Short mmCIF file of all heavy atoms in Angstrom, two decimals:
data_model
loop_
_atom_site.label_atom_id
_atom_site.label_comp_id
_atom_site.label_asym_id
_atom_site.label_seq_id
_atom_site.Cartn_x
_atom_site.Cartn_y
_atom_site.Cartn_z
N ASP A 1297 3.85 138.11 -93.01
CA ASP A 1297 3.93 137.65 -94.40
C ASP A 1297 5.35 137.27 -94.81
O ASP A 1297 5.57 136.78 -95.91
CB ASP A 1297 3.40 138.74 -95.35
CG ASP A 1297 1.91 138.96 -95.20
OD1 ASP A 1297 1.20 137.96 -94.94
OD2 ASP A 1297 1.45 140.11 -95.30
N ARG A 1298 6.31 137.49 -93.91
CA ARG A 1298 7.71 137.18 -94.20
C ARG A 1298 8.21 135.95 -93.45
O ARG A 1298 9.40 135.63 -93.52
CB ARG A 1298 8.59 138.39 -93.85
CG ARG A 1298 8.31 139.64 -94.68
CD ARG A 1298 9.25 140.79 -94.29
NE ARG A 1298 10.63 140.34 -94.19
CZ ARG A 1298 11.34 140.38 -93.06
NH1 ARG A 1298 10.82 140.87 -91.94
NH2 ARG A 1298 12.59 139.94 -93.05
N TYR A 1299 7.34 135.27 -92.73
CA TYR A 1299 7.80 134.12 -91.93
C TYR A 1299 8.49 133.06 -92.78
O TYR A 1299 9.53 132.52 -92.40
CB TYR A 1299 6.62 133.49 -91.19
CG TYR A 1299 6.16 134.24 -89.96
CD1 TYR A 1299 4.85 134.14 -89.52
CD2 TYR A 1299 7.04 135.03 -89.22
CE1 TYR A 1299 4.41 134.80 -88.38
CE2 TYR A 1299 6.61 135.70 -88.09
CZ TYR A 1299 5.29 135.58 -87.67
OH TYR A 1299 4.87 136.23 -86.55
N GLU A 1300 7.92 132.74 -93.93
CA GLU A 1300 8.53 131.72 -94.78
C GLU A 1300 9.92 132.16 -95.25
O GLU A 1300 10.86 131.36 -95.32
CB GLU A 1300 7.64 131.40 -95.98
CG GLU A 1300 6.41 130.57 -95.65
CD GLU A 1300 5.25 131.38 -95.11
OE1 GLU A 1300 5.39 132.62 -95.02
OE2 GLU A 1300 4.21 130.79 -94.78
N GLU A 1301 10.06 133.44 -95.57
CA GLU A 1301 11.37 133.98 -95.96
C GLU A 1301 12.37 133.86 -94.80
O GLU A 1301 13.54 133.52 -95.00
CB GLU A 1301 11.21 135.45 -96.36
CG GLU A 1301 12.51 136.17 -96.65
CD GLU A 1301 12.33 137.67 -96.78
OE1 GLU A 1301 11.19 138.12 -97.02
OE2 GLU A 1301 13.33 138.40 -96.60
N MET A 1302 11.90 134.13 -93.60
CA MET A 1302 12.77 134.01 -92.42
C MET A 1302 13.24 132.57 -92.23
O MET A 1302 14.42 132.31 -91.96
CB MET A 1302 12.01 134.47 -91.16
CG MET A 1302 11.62 135.92 -91.16
SD MET A 1302 10.60 136.31 -89.70
CE MET A 1302 9.98 137.93 -90.14
N ILE A 1303 12.32 131.63 -92.38
CA ILE A 1303 12.65 130.21 -92.23
C ILE A 1303 13.69 129.80 -93.27
O ILE A 1303 14.61 129.02 -92.98
CB ILE A 1303 11.38 129.35 -92.35
CG1 ILE A 1303 10.46 129.62 -91.16
CG2 ILE A 1303 11.72 127.86 -92.41
CD1 ILE A 1303 9.07 129.03 -91.30
N GLU A 1304 13.56 130.33 -94.47
CA GLU A 1304 14.46 129.99 -95.57
C GLU A 1304 15.86 130.56 -95.37
O GLU A 1304 16.86 129.91 -95.69
CB GLU A 1304 13.87 130.52 -96.89
CG GLU A 1304 14.70 130.21 -98.13
CD GLU A 1304 14.66 128.74 -98.52
OE1 GLU A 1304 13.71 128.04 -98.13
OE2 GLU A 1304 15.61 128.30 -99.22
N ASN A 1305 15.95 131.77 -94.82
CA ASN A 1305 17.23 132.48 -94.81
C ASN A 1305 17.88 132.67 -93.44
O ASN A 1305 19.08 132.94 -93.38
CB ASN A 1305 17.03 133.87 -95.43
CG ASN A 1305 16.62 133.80 -96.89
OD1 ASN A 1305 17.28 133.16 -97.71
ND2 ASN A 1305 15.50 134.44 -97.23
N TYR A 1306 17.12 132.52 -92.38
CA TYR A 1306 17.67 132.84 -91.06
C TYR A 1306 17.39 131.71 -90.07
O TYR A 1306 17.06 130.60 -90.47
CB TYR A 1306 17.10 134.17 -90.57
CG TYR A 1306 17.37 135.32 -91.51
CD1 TYR A 1306 16.33 135.90 -92.24
CD2 TYR A 1306 18.66 135.80 -91.70
CE1 TYR A 1306 16.57 136.94 -93.13
CE2 TYR A 1306 18.91 136.85 -92.59
CZ TYR A 1306 17.86 137.41 -93.30
OH TYR A 1306 18.10 138.43 -94.18
N HIS A 1307 17.51 132.01 -88.79
CA HIS A 1307 17.36 130.98 -87.77
C HIS A 1307 16.92 131.62 -86.46
O HIS A 1307 17.12 132.83 -86.25
CB HIS A 1307 18.69 130.24 -87.57
CG HIS A 1307 19.83 131.16 -87.25
ND1 HIS A 1307 20.07 131.66 -85.97
CD2 HIS A 1307 20.80 131.71 -88.03
CE1 HIS A 1307 21.11 132.45 -85.99
NE2 HIS A 1307 21.59 132.51 -87.23
N PRO A 1308 16.34 130.85 -85.55
CA PRO A 1308 15.95 131.41 -84.25
C PRO A 1308 17.17 131.90 -83.47
O PRO A 1308 18.30 131.46 -83.70
CB PRO A 1308 15.30 130.20 -83.54
CG PRO A 1308 14.92 129.27 -84.64
CD PRO A 1308 15.95 129.45 -85.70
N GLY A 1309 16.92 132.81 -82.56
CA GLY A 1309 17.98 133.33 -81.72
C GLY A 1309 18.39 134.75 -82.07
O GLY A 1309 19.16 135.37 -81.34
N LEU A 1310 17.88 135.27 -83.18
CA LEU A 1310 18.26 136.61 -83.63
C LEU A 1310 17.42 137.70 -82.96
O LEU A 1310 17.91 138.77 -82.63
CB LEU A 1310 18.15 136.72 -85.15
CG LEU A 1310 19.05 135.75 -85.93
CD1 LEU A 1310 18.69 135.75 -87.42
CD2 LEU A 1310 20.52 136.12 -85.73
N GLY A 1311 16.13 137.45 -82.82
CA GLY A 1311 15.25 138.34 -82.07
C GLY A 1311 14.82 139.61 -82.77
O GLY A 1311 13.98 140.35 -82.26
N ASP A 1312 15.38 139.89 -83.96
CA ASP A 1312 15.09 141.16 -84.63
C ASP A 1312 14.22 140.93 -85.86
O ASP A 1312 13.46 139.97 -85.92
CB ASP A 1312 16.39 141.87 -84.98
CG ASP A 1312 17.35 141.00 -85.82
OD1 ASP A 1312 16.88 140.01 -86.41
OD2 ASP A 1312 18.56 141.31 -85.87
N HIS A 1313 14.34 141.81 -86.88
CA HIS A 1313 13.52 141.71 -88.07
C HIS A 1313 13.75 140.40 -88.83
O HIS A 1313 12.90 139.98 -89.61
CB HIS A 1313 13.79 142.89 -89.01
CG HIS A 1313 15.20 142.92 -89.53
ND1 HIS A 1313 16.27 143.34 -88.77
CD2 HIS A 1313 15.72 142.55 -90.74
CE1 HIS A 1313 17.38 143.25 -89.49
NE2 HIS A 1313 17.08 142.78 -90.68
N ARG A 1314 14.89 139.75 -88.59
CA ARG A 1314 15.18 138.49 -89.27
C ARG A 1314 14.46 137.31 -88.63
O ARG A 1314 14.20 136.31 -89.32
CB ARG A 1314 16.70 138.24 -89.27
CG ARG A 1314 17.50 139.28 -90.03
CD ARG A 1314 18.98 139.16 -89.72
NE ARG A 1314 19.27 139.46 -88.32
CZ ARG A 1314 20.47 139.37 -87.77
NH1 ARG A 1314 21.50 138.96 -88.51
NH2 ARG A 1314 20.66 139.68 -86.49
N TRP A 1315 14.15 137.44 -87.34
CA TRP A 1315 13.43 136.38 -86.61
C TRP A 1315 12.94 137.01 -85.30
O TRP A 1315 13.63 136.97 -84.29
CB TRP A 1315 14.35 135.18 -86.34
CG TRP A 1315 13.60 133.91 -86.07
CD1 TRP A 1315 12.85 133.61 -84.98
CD2 TRP A 1315 13.50 132.76 -86.93
NE1 TRP A 1315 12.29 132.36 -85.10
CE2 TRP A 1315 12.68 131.82 -86.28
CE3 TRP A 1315 14.04 132.44 -88.18
CZ2 TRP A 1315 12.39 130.58 -86.84
CZ3 TRP A 1315 13.75 131.21 -88.74
CH2 TRP A 1315 12.93 130.29 -88.08
N PRO A 1316 11.77 137.62 -85.30
CA PRO A 1316 11.34 138.48 -84.19
C PRO A 1316 11.10 137.74 -82.88
O PRO A 1316 10.47 136.69 -82.85
CB PRO A 1316 10.04 139.08 -84.71
CG PRO A 1316 9.53 138.08 -85.70
CD PRO A 1316 10.75 137.50 -86.35
N LEU A 1317 11.62 138.33 -81.81
CA LEU A 1317 11.37 137.76 -80.49
C LEU A 1317 9.87 137.76 -80.17
O LEU A 1317 9.32 136.77 -79.70
CB LEU A 1317 12.11 138.57 -79.42
CG LEU A 1317 11.80 138.24 -77.96
CD1 LEU A 1317 12.14 136.79 -77.64
CD2 LEU A 1317 12.51 139.19 -77.02
N VAL A 1318 9.22 138.89 -80.42
CA VAL A 1318 7.79 139.05 -80.14
C VAL A 1318 7.07 139.53 -81.39
O VAL A 1318 7.55 140.44 -82.07
CB VAL A 1318 7.56 140.06 -78.99
CG1 VAL A 1318 6.08 140.38 -78.83
CG2 VAL A 1318 8.14 139.54 -77.68
N THR A 1319 5.95 138.90 -81.69
CA THR A 1319 5.05 139.40 -82.73
C THR A 1319 3.80 139.93 -82.02
O THR A 1319 3.14 139.19 -81.30
CB THR A 1319 4.67 138.31 -83.74
OG1 THR A 1319 5.85 137.84 -84.40
CG2 THR A 1319 3.70 138.85 -84.79
N HIS A 1320 3.53 141.20 -82.22
CA HIS A 1320 2.47 141.89 -81.47
C HIS A 1320 1.37 142.32 -82.43
O HIS A 1320 1.62 143.10 -83.37
CB HIS A 1320 3.08 143.10 -80.77
CG HIS A 1320 2.15 143.79 -79.84
ND1 HIS A 1320 2.45 145.01 -79.26
CD2 HIS A 1320 0.92 143.45 -79.36
CE1 HIS A 1320 1.45 145.38 -78.47
NE2 HIS A 1320 0.51 144.46 -78.53
N PHE A 1321 0.17 141.84 -82.19
CA PHE A 1321 -0.96 142.10 -83.09
C PHE A 1321 -1.68 143.39 -82.70
O PHE A 1321 -2.87 143.40 -82.36
CB PHE A 1321 -1.89 140.89 -83.11
CG PHE A 1321 -1.32 139.75 -83.89
CD1 PHE A 1321 -0.45 138.85 -83.29
CD2 PHE A 1321 -1.59 139.60 -85.24
CE1 PHE A 1321 0.12 137.80 -84.01
CE2 PHE A 1321 -1.05 138.56 -85.97
CZ PHE A 1321 -0.19 137.66 -85.36
N VAL A 1322 -0.95 144.49 -82.81
CA VAL A 1322 -1.49 145.81 -82.52
C VAL A 1322 -2.65 146.12 -83.47
O VAL A 1322 -2.52 145.92 -84.68
CB VAL A 1322 -0.38 146.88 -82.68
CG1 VAL A 1322 -0.94 148.27 -82.41
CG2 VAL A 1322 0.79 146.58 -81.77
N GLY A 1323 -3.75 146.61 -82.93
CA GLY A 1323 -4.88 146.99 -83.77
C GLY A 1323 -5.84 145.86 -84.07
O GLY A 1323 -6.90 146.09 -84.65
N CYS A 1324 -5.48 144.64 -83.70
CA CYS A 1324 -6.38 143.50 -83.88
C CYS A 1324 -7.24 143.35 -82.63
O CYS A 1324 -6.71 143.20 -81.52
CB CYS A 1324 -5.59 142.21 -84.10
SG CYS A 1324 -5.04 141.98 -85.80
#
């Protein structure tokens, strides 16, 4: 739900909460 916020404020290459390297759909 924060992807749009990430696009607005950050950039690829960070890998952390600002732009996650992996998004894991645990429980789905």
Side-chain angles (χ1 to χ4, degrees):
D1297 292 325
R1298 297 181 46 242
Y1299 283 153
E1300 286 82 1
E1301 174 191 340
M1302 296 175 192
I1303 293 169
E1304 181 72 22
N1305 297 306
Y1306 302 110
H1307 55 81
L1310 299 170
D1312 55 19
H1313 64 283
R1314 297 167 295 176
W1315 201 290
L1317 171 61
V1318 172
T1319 299
H1320 187 190
F1321 286 85
V1322 179
C1324 278

